[in-house]
Amino acid sequence: MVVLAVESASLGRLSSSSASSEASSSADWPETVRVAVRVRPPLAREVSTEELTVRAPGEVTAWPDDGLGPGPRYSFTFDAAFSPSEGQAAVYDAVARPAVSSTLAGFNASIIAYGHTGAGKTHTMEGAPDGAQRGIIPRAVADIFEHVERSARPGARRFLVRASYLQIYNEVLSDLLKPGRNGLAIREDRKKGLRAEGLSEWVVRSPAEVDGLLRRGAETRATAATAANDASSRSHAVFCLTFEQSEASGGGEACPRGSVFRSSKLNLVDLAGSERLRVSGASGQRLEECKYINGSLAALGNVVAALTSGTARHVPYR
């Protein structure tokens, strides 16, 4: 199963001579976290060990079999649940499109794919570059540039889209678009928020240019074959799109009195999959990678638990 966590919408950067009226619209976009699950078709080795049933709305029932006979049934409820028969378009429309829309409105959003190795996270996030098997990223990019083409007005409303791509491999941050730029440090800026210092950003003007960056990054990203997955991602990957828009409400382009500038980010995260050693058969370097992957996913779980508890005094970000 792939678990998709969608967070939106914290207000992005806003500068305006009438910022108070613009910022007040943020009440229409309350911060939300939605969680959806996608069940892929079972592999041959899984058919006799577990039964999964997707029930509307958003309920998944698991019936594990440990070899001694079926065990008790377990039911889990999500904001949305997708059966193996539901395609990429259904997942995008229900889960990702609202986050993309909030980004276009000037708010930050994140879509995070989580699950065990071989669950289909990369397929869900990337898929094919075109056609029915396009994943969340190419569909989001298409929507963004369709919005730009539809809404841009020369001299009045302008847009700029920038892209960056990083991976976290064995707790080391590196730039997937600048090979050799490793060991990036996380910094916090009052204006820009958290950022990876030294991470390259690329101005993109079309979906084709974004696809080129994705292909280049995929060539650099750490992957390897394991017993559980022929092309297992060994690193967490974060593809970030920064969407900037400026609009002059008076005074013309040369003197944009009352102009508004917005900057928002859409973070698209493909996490490395959690692993059970008896299934993946990891050893040597793969075993070391597995330790880092499982450790970082456990740390992420602790952060989520603290944020949702309502009583935690400390959130263990570090």
Side-chain angles (χ1 to χ4, degrees), residues 30 98 168 183 221 224-225 250 260 288:
I168 306 172
R221 187 180 180 186
V260 176
E288 288 301 309

Side-chain angles (χ1 to χ4, degrees), residues 79-233:
D79 293 298
F82 302 92
S83 69
S85 63
E86 295 179 274
Q88 300 275 63
V91 175
Y92 178 77
D93 289 342
V95 176
R97 192 185 295 277
V100 175
S101 296
S102 69
T103 301
L104 297 176
F107 297 85
N108 298 326
S110 299
I111 303 174
I112 304 172
Y114 173 91
H116 62 81
T117 185
K121 298 179 298 299
T122 301
H123 172 71
T124 298
M125 294 300 292
E126 298 181 13
D130 50 39
Q133 293 304 314
R134 288 185 303 160
I136 287 175
I137 295 177
R139 291 176 187 271
V141 170
D143 276 359
I144 288 172
F145 282 101
E146 285 177 8
H147 174 84
V148 170
E149 184 176 353
R150 183 174 61 250
S151 305
R153 299 174 186 170
R157 182 181 296 163
R158 295 178 293 181
F159 299 92
L160 181 68
V161 183
R162 292 179 284 121
S164 61
Y165 203 5
L166 68 82
Q167 75 169 354
I168 306 172
Y169 174 70
N170 290 358
E171 300 300 319
V172 176
L173 275 69
S174 59
D175 191 333
L176 287 174
L177 302 178
K178 283 283 189 179
R181 188 173 289 185
N182 304 318
L184 304 181
I186 298 294
R187 305 295 186 196
E188 186 169 8
D189 186 278
R190 286 187 177 182
K191 293 184 178 180
K192 297 182 179 180
L194 291 174
R195 61 186 178 87
E197 189 175 51
L199 181 66
S200 64
E201 285 192 297
W202 303 72
V203 174
V204 286
R205 299 175 179 83
S206 68
E209 292 187 2
V210 177
D211 180 59
L213 295 180
L214 287 169
R215 291 175 182 270
R216 189 195 311 178
E219 293 174 357
T220 309
R221 187 180 180 186
T223 60
T226 68
N229 189 352
D230 291 337
S232 173
S233 300

Side-chain angles (χ1 to χ4, degrees), residues 239-318:
F239 188 73
C240 180
L241 290 170
T242 300
F243 183 73
E244 297 179 352
Q245 47 190 318
S246 59
E247 184 171 1
S249 58
E253 186 176 5
C255 184
R257 292 192 301 272
S259 62
V260 176
F261 173 81
R262 293 189 183 95
S263 178
S264 52
K265 287 188 176 183
L266 177 63
N267 299 303
L268 301 156
V269 185
D270 179 13
L271 295 173
S274 58
E275 294 186 13
R276 294 180 180 178
L277 292 180
R278 64 179 179 83
V279 176
S280 67
S283 61
Q285 183 179 350
R286 302 288 87 82
L287 178 59
E288 288 301 309
E289 294 167 346
C290 178
K291 292 177 182 177
Y292 281 108
I293 291 170
N294 288 346
S296 61
L297 293 176
L300 175 61
N302 291 337
V303 170
V304 173
L307 289 172
T308 57
S309 70
T311 58
R313 294 184 178 181
H314 170 68
V315 180
Y317 289 114
R318 297 178 180 270

Side-chain angles (χ1 to χ4, degrees), residues 44-93:
R45 66 171 182 269
E46 299 168 333
V47 172
S48 60
T49 59
E50 186 170 27
E51 175 186 325
L52 286 172
T53 303
V54 177
R55 306 172 185 273
E59 183 177 323
V60 176
T61 299
W63 193 3
D65 186 341
D66 60 5
L68 301 176
R73 291 179 183 267
Y74 299 93
S75 291
F76 307 91
T77 302
F78 301 87
D79 293 298
F82 302 92
S83 69
S85 63
E86 295 179 274
Q88 300 275 63
V91 175
Y92 178 77
D93 289 342

